[in-house]
Amino acid sequence: NGEHVINVPSINMLLRGKAGESVRLEVQRVTSKSNFTQLRRAKMRLLEGSNNEEENPAASEPLVVVPLSFDDRDDLLYAAWEWKTRVRAKMLAAEAGFTLGYIHLQDMSGAPATDAFARGFYPDHDKQALIVDVRHNSGGNIDSWLLDILQRKAWMFWQGREDTDGGLMWDEQ
């Protein structure tokens, strides 16, 4: 927003207190041969009315960003860790020859915890193994509810009236 990063010890000083606000940056990009970069530069040349295809490595381009708060940053890092752990666990299980469900619970208190369990459990309810990861858990009291759900056996299920032997369906006789 008009200040040069060379004039301060850290770019963080310029972004302090700007979480959630749009900040305009002038960015100098290293020359790249990717298709996306070439298309972007061609568009910039069209907008500027220039036919010069030579790259100016010192040319800057505007970029508008919205800095994150520390809490939002921590939430993104936590979600990335959780996703990476889930993918790694499922990959190791596939290599070992079985299917795996993975649920990470950040806490075990109230409706958000039961919702998180349901979102993680029901898509993977039919897997051969289940990991319920409670590392970095902030605590709570749904552990008995969770154990009750995990110990249940299926006592009934539905099956549609489908043609399984090639004959007439029940309503076609």
Side-chain angles (χ1 to χ4, degrees):
N1 287 343
E3 295 187 50
H4 201 286
V5 296
I6 299 293
N7 299 332
V8 294
S10 170
I11 190 172
N12 294 336
M13 294 177 71
L14 296 175
L15 296 175
R16 185 173 294 140
K18 301 286 187 184
E21 298 177 18
S22 295
V23 176
R24 184 175 187 264
L25 305 175
E26 289 288 328
V27 178
Q28 290 183 339
R29 296 197 183 262
V30 176
T31 302
S32 172
K33 300 296 181 193
S34 74
N35 289 338
F36 176 75
T37 303
Q38 291 175 3
L39 288 172
R40 186 182 71 241
R41 288 189 176 140
K43 179 181 175 185
M44 293 299 286
R45 284 193 302 272
L46 285 174
L47 292 174
E48 294 169 357
S50 170
N51 290 330
N52 184 7
E53 294 204 19
E54 290 184 18
E55 299 294 333
N56 181 358
S60 63
E61 63 182 89
L63 182 66
V64 177
V65 298
V66 179
L68 297 173
S69 68
F70 284 113
D71 289 340
D72 290 341
R73 175 191 163 273
D74 290 344
D75 290 346
L76 281 175
L77 288 173
Y78 198 95
W81 170 83
E82 182 181 345
W83 177 81
K84 185 174 79 171
T85 305
R86 176 182 296 110
V87 168
R88 180 80 173 139
K90 289 188 174 200
M91 184 183 70
L92 289 171
E95 288 174 5
F98 64 94
T99 58
L100 174 78
Y102 175 89
I103 305 167
H104 174 73
L105 297 176
Q106 290 186 5
D107 67 27
M108 296 179 77
S109 57
T114 56
D115 290 347
F117 176 78
R119 282 192 307 274
F121 176 70
Y122 290 107
D124 288 336
H125 75 280
D126 58 345
K127 303 296 189 256
Q128 294 170 319
L130 177 68
I131 294 175
V132 179
D133 189 349
V134 292
R135 291 178 291 170
H136 312 292
N137 187 293
S138 61
N141 60 357
I142 67 162
D143 51 352
S144 58
W145 174 82
L146 205 155
L147 290 172
D148 180 48
I149 296 293
L150 293 175
Q151 291 176 348
R152 290 183 183 172
K153 303 274 187 232
W155 58 272
M156 184 175 93
F157 59 91
W158 293 95
Q159 181 175 355
R161 294 179 175 154
E162 299 172 359
D163 180 15
T164 58
D165 62 357
L168 294 175
M169 295 292 289
W170 69 273
D171 61 347
E172 297 176 333
Q173 298 179 12

